[in-house]
């Protein structure tokens, strides 16, 4: 063991630094929109909501996926103090597990130390700069890990390890579908692709089908395990409740016209390529140079594409702020340029290259066509292609005969990728302020332990204190406005189809919320709390909406509080006794 550490000390040090920087960043930034929504969407089930019955949030599966970790924290602490930071740290532990899967699948190809280091790229990815239990993050890493296991199964050393890898790959891909349902099409495509690759590898179609069958059994097994508790909590009415979630406007927003959705994907992709055509062209020249000259000058040119891409991509551009999505999509595009040269590599790397690349491309289309964000939303799936590009580069370095140089060079592409992802974290992670301004530690409440600006720290602690004062035992509540964390700050059941923003100026609320409340009196909240003045003004200006009419007729204004330490303006409405 000590000999192995001494031999690979550089890779181990790089890995430890990358992981330490990742953990350190989690303690900074109080995010009040998307990330708080992920937390509240999961926490509502601990407060008594039933999925699909009275909780219609889009992507229910991702909220249920993170629920065990949340329930463990709640049971252990008996409250919500510091739950926000725990949510982040627990996701980091999950990502470590997915990194371990990548390591196990690549160690025989890349060597133990290089495989450990390469796994750091998977561990630190954060689409949309939000490192947490979101459906985007989960669908991406579950797909990557599942594809790595499928690839490994085709060159596993024993029949037993092959079957185990296939079963666990099926489990991970089933979880992917659970958290992001439209990824079922990706799963179907991967099944066909894997069957073809397994049939070619084994030179037998029946044996190829048998390999896919083991993966299917793993997926079917986890589907049964997930369905049984859902049937129990919905009292056997799961199928009749499913349309509730699909009625969510956020689900239906993903392109009502397939033609227009496809057109948008093509246009957005071409626009992205046009925006970065120069570094893409020079990166292509670098890849060609590697193939032509690496036997003569391997130390100088083998990393040329990575250096060219990153140096040119990071040139100061006042018109563009690069995001993690842009970065991963940009590197992923070089997958296409490696296709002519991939046959020079080992069968293991070729397997990884094609599974990750084609699986990522289909997943990109599925997300783009099912999301209101179109290709912009889907581009983060190019991270799969980015990992596919990394594999042949690392194998080329490992093939170098000079051991001292080889050890240093294997670190370079991984550091460039993981380091760039971390740099983007530190620039754009969360949304309160640049990290240099996050100087105040939140001392109490759900955000305890997290550093933010002095103003935001005072604001969130004051808001939580006021909300705890307004708490009414076992009653239910609806928050209006940008109030995502509020559902976690108060021990009351959420009486709302979604804990996302309720915007009175948006037509989606004109019939969707009334549909929810028309199901019975138990669905209506006992308290309605406006958090922001802007939302209240929007409510007054849109009294023709049915949701506004419900509030006007069934609720009475009770109390108004202006939180002095912040801009929060709380207005409390209590349900009338007769309604």
């Amino acid at each position: 063991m000590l000999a192995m550490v001494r031999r690979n000390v550089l890779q181990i040090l790089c890995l430890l630094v990358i992981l330490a920087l990742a953990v350190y960043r989690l303690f900074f930034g109080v995010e009040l929109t998307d990330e708080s929504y992920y937390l509240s969407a999961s926490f509502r089930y601990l407060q008594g909501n039933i999925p699909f019955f009275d909780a219609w949030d889009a992507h229910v599966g991702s909220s249920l996926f993170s629920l065990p970790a949340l329930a463990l924290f709640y049971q252990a602490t008996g409250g919500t103090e510091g739950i926000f930071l725990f949510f982040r740290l627990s996701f980091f532990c999950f990502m470590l597990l997915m990194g371990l899967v990548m390591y196990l699948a690549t160690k025989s190809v890349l060597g133990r130390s290089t495989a450990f280091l390469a796994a750091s790229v998977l561990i630190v990815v954060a689409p949309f700069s939000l490192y947490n239990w979101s459906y985007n993050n989960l669908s991406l890493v579950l797909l990557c890990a599942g594809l790595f296991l499928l690839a490994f199964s085709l060159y596993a050393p024993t029949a037993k390890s092959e079957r185990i890898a296939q079963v666990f790959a099926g489990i991970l891909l089933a979880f992917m579908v659970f958290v992001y349902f439209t990824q079922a099409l990706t799963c179907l495509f991967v099944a066909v692709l894997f069957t073809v690759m397994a049939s070619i590898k084994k030179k037998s179609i029946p044996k190829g089908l048998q390999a896919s069958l083991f993966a299917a059994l793993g997926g079917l097994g986890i589907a049964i395990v997930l369905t049984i508790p859902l049937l129990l909590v919905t009292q056997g009415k799961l199928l009749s409740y499913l349309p509730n979630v699909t009625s969510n406007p956020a689900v239906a927003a993903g392109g009502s016209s397939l033609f227009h959705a496809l057109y948008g994907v093509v246009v957005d992709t071409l626009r992205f390529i046009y925006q970065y055509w120069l570094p893409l062209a020079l990166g292509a020249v670098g890849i060609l140079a590697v193939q032509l000259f690496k036997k003569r000058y391997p130390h100088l040119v083998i990393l040329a594409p990575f250096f060219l891409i990153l140096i040119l991509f990071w040139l100061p551009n006042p018109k563009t702020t690069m995001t993690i999505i842009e970065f991963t999509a940009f590197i992923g595009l070089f997958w296409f340029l490696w296709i002519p040269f991939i046959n020079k590599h080992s069968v293991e790397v070729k397997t990884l290259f094609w599974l990750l690349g084609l699986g990522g491309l289909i997943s990109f289309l599925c997300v783009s066509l099912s999301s209101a964000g179109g290709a912009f939303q889907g581009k983060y799936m190019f991270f799969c292609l980015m990992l596919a590009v990394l594999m042949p580069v690392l194998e080329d370095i490992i093939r170098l005969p000079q051991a001292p140089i080889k050890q240093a060079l294997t670190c370079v592409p991984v550091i460039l990728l993981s380091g760039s992802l971390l740099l983007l974290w530190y620039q754009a992670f969360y949304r309160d302020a640049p990290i240099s301004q996050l100087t105040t530690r939140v001392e109490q409440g759900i955000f305890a332990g997290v550093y933010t600006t002095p103003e935001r720290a005072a604001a969130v602690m004051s808001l939580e204190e006021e909300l705890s004062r307004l708490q009414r035992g076992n009653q239910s509540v609806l928050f209006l406005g940008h109030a995502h964390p509020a559902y976690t700050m108060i021990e009351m059941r959420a009486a709302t189809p979604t804990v996302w923003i309720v915007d009175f100026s948006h037509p989606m609320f004109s019939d969707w919320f009334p549909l929810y409340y028309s199901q019975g009196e138990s669905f209506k909240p006992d308290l309605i709390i406006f958090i922001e003045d802007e939302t209240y003004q929007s409510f007054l200006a849109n009294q023709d909406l049915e949701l506004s009419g419900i509030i006007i007729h069934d609720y009475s204004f009770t109390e108004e509080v202006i939180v002095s330490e912040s801009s929060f303006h709380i207005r409390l409405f209590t349900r009338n006794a007769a309604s």
Side-chain angles (χ1 to χ4, degrees):
M1 179 66 178
L2 288 176
M4 190 274 288
V5 171
R6 283 196 298 269
R7 217 171 31 244
N8 304 288
V9 64
L10 188 58
Q11 286 95 332
I12 294 171
L13 282 175
C14 289
L15 176 64
L16 292 176
V17 169
I18 290 169
L19 296 183
L21 288 171
V23 172
Y24 179 74
R25 188 62 177 95
L26 300 180
F27 288 82
F28 292 85
V30 169
E31 211 286 300
L32 298 176
T33 54
D34 296 72
E35 190 181 7
S36 294
Y37 163 72
Y38 305 144
L39 175 60
S40 292
S42 184
F43 184 75
R44 69 182 302 178
Y45 299 117
L46 296 180
Q47 299 293 82
N49 284 144
I50 299 173
F52 304 104
F53 174 66
D54 58 358
W56 300 358
D57 288 289
H59 305 291
V60 173
S62 63
S63 303
L64 295 173
F65 193 90
S66 59
L67 185 59
L70 208 59
L72 180 65
F73 176 88
Y74 195 63
Q75 283 293 115
T77 64
T80 58
E81 184 90 5
I83 197 170
F84 191 84
L85 180 58
F86 170 81
F87 212 51
R88 291 179 181 174
L89 292 171
S90 62
F91 182 71
F92 176 76
C93 293
F94 169 76
M95 294 294 274
L96 284 178
L97 181 62
M98 294 298 99
L100 178 62
V101 170
M102 179 176 168
Y103 162 75
L104 293 173
T106 57
K107 67 176 182 177
S108 61
V109 183
L110 304 178
R112 291 178 183 273
S113 59
T114 303
F116 257 126
L117 188 57
S120 70
V121 184
L122 178 63
I123 292 169
V124 301
V125 67
F128 301 97
S129 299
L130 293 168
Y131 193 81
N132 216 311
W133 298 91
S134 80
Y135 48 89
N136 294 313
N137 296 14
L138 288 170
S139 65
L140 173 60
V141 297
L142 288 168
L143 174 63
C144 287
L147 293 175
F148 271 108
L149 284 180
L150 286 178
F152 168 76
S153 73
L154 292 182
Y155 53 84
T158 64
K160 182 180 179 181
S161 58
E162 175 187 350
R163 300 306 182 212
I164 291 173
Q166 288 160 0
V167 169
F168 274 97
I171 290 172
L172 292 176
L173 293 175
F175 273 126
M176 176 191 70
V177 176
F178 182 64
V179 302
Y180 205 124
F181 183 70
T182 53
Q183 291 277 34
L185 295 176
T186 302
C187 205
L188 180 62
F189 173 83
V190 167
V192 174
L193 176 63
F194 178 70
T195 302
V196 171
M197 294 180 75
S199 298
I200 294 173
K201 174 70 168 56
K202 296 175 180 294
K203 299 179 181 180
S204 167
I205 293 177
K207 288 184 177 179
L209 290 170
Q210 186 183 53
S212 292
L213 179 62
F214 277 94
L217 289 174
L220 181 62
I222 203 64
I224 294 172
V225 169
L226 293 171
T227 302
I228 290 175
L230 286 174
L231 285 171
L232 292 175
V233 297
T234 58
Q235 298 180 350
K237 299 179 181 179
L238 177 61
L239 290 178
S240 62
Y241 291 158
L242 284 176
N244 292 336
V245 172
T246 57
S247 71
N248 189 323
V251 176
S256 56
S257 166
L258 180 61
F259 172 78
H260 284 96
L262 282 170
Y263 175 79
V265 169
V266 172
V267 169
D268 285 350
T269 304
L270 291 176
R271 185 185 295 119
F272 179 77
I273 293 172
Y274 173 76
Q275 183 179 2
Y276 298 108
W277 71 270
L278 180 59
L280 282 169
L282 291 174
V285 171
I287 291 173
L288 183 60
V290 167
Q291 305 307 319
L292 292 176
F293 302 116
K294 69 182 178 184
K295 290 183 180 179
R296 186 175 300 177
Y297 307 109
H299 313 126
L300 298 177
V301 301
I302 202 165
L303 298 172
F306 280 85
F307 282 119
L308 280 170
I309 292 164
L310 291 165
I311 290 170
L312 289 165
F313 208 67
W314 282 110
L315 284 175
N317 186 342
K319 297 180 181 179
T320 304
T321 301
M322 190 176 69
T323 66
I324 289 177
I325 294 179
E326 287 178 309
F327 175 77
T328 54
F330 184 81
I331 303 294
L333 283 172
F334 285 87
W335 180 84
F336 296 96
L337 299 175
W338 273 92
I339 291 175
F341 311 110
I342 196 62
N343 279 334
K344 298 178 181 179
H345 290 270
S346 66
V347 64
E348 294 89 351
V349 166
K350 284 191 288 187
T351 302
L352 286 165
F353 181 85
W354 288 113
L355 266 177
L356 286 165
L358 294 176
L361 280 175
I362 296 300
S363 185
F364 158 72
L365 285 174
C366 287
V367 174
S368 298
L369 297 177
S370 62
S371 167
F376 172 78
Q377 180 95 1
K379 280 203 295 281
Y380 71 87
M381 298 307 302
F382 269 68
F383 179 79
C384 295
L385 281 74
M386 177 173 155
L387 289 179
V389 169
L390 182 62
M391 295 299 114
V393 172
L394 289 176
E395 186 178 57
D396 277 343
I397 296 172
I398 291 166
R399 286 174 172 177
L400 294 176
Q402 295 87 344
I405 296 174
K406 181 164 58 177
Q407 185 186 33
L409 285 179
T410 53
C411 297
V412 174
V414 174
I415 291 172
L416 288 172
L417 295 182
S418 292
S420 296
L421 292 172
L422 281 172
L423 186 58
L424 289 168
W425 276 29
Y426 276 74
Q427 286 185 341
F429 206 33
Y430 312 129
R431 298 162 186 172
D432 39 8
I435 190 170
S436 59
Q437 299 176 24
L438 309 182
T439 57
T440 302
R441 185 178 185 270
V442 181
E443 298 297 338
Q444 60 187 31
I446 66 170
F447 296 107
V450 179
Y451 287 83
T452 183
T453 60
E455 297 79 14
R456 179 161 287 196
V460 294
M461 285 191 290
S462 299
L463 175 63
E464 188 161 358
E465 185 178 343
E466 286 294 337
L467 292 179
S468 64
R469 186 183 60 82
L470 297 176
Q471 190 165 293
R472 301 287 191 275
N474 295 322
Q475 293 185 341
S476 59
V477 64
L478 164 66
F479 287 101
L480 299 177
H482 290 72
H484 313 85
Y487 289 101
T488 315
M489 291 177 171
I490 193 167
E491 294 281 345
M492 296 178 69
R493 180 176 60 85
T496 171
T498 179
V499 292
W500 184 244
I501 302 167
V502 179
D503 182 359
F504 284 88
S505 64
H506 199 291
M508 66 178 266
F509 295 105
S510 61
D511 50 14
W512 192 55
F513 266 72
L515 172 66
Y516 179 83
Y517 294 125
S518 68
Q519 296 183 113
E521 294 302 308
S522 62
F523 285 81
K524 294 181 179 179
D526 298 300
L527 301 180
I528 295 178
I529 301 177
F530 286 86
I531 295 290
E532 296 175 320
D533 188 58
E534 293 82 358
T535 307
Y536 184 69
Q537 298 304 322
S538 179
F539 155 68
L540 295 177
N542 292 277
Q543 293 191 23
D544 56 323
L545 294 182
E546 192 173 346
L547 176 57
S548 298
I550 291 174
I551 297 173
I552 292 169
H553 293 105
D554 295 349
Y555 295 83
S556 299
F557 175 76
T558 305
E559 187 176 348
E560 182 173 5
V561 178
I562 298 177
V563 182
S564 58
E565 291 84 355
S566 70
S567 59
F568 293 120
H569 193 158
I570 299 174
R571 292 179 177 87
L572 174 65
F573 285 74
T574 306
R575 188 174 174 187
N576 299 327
S579 63

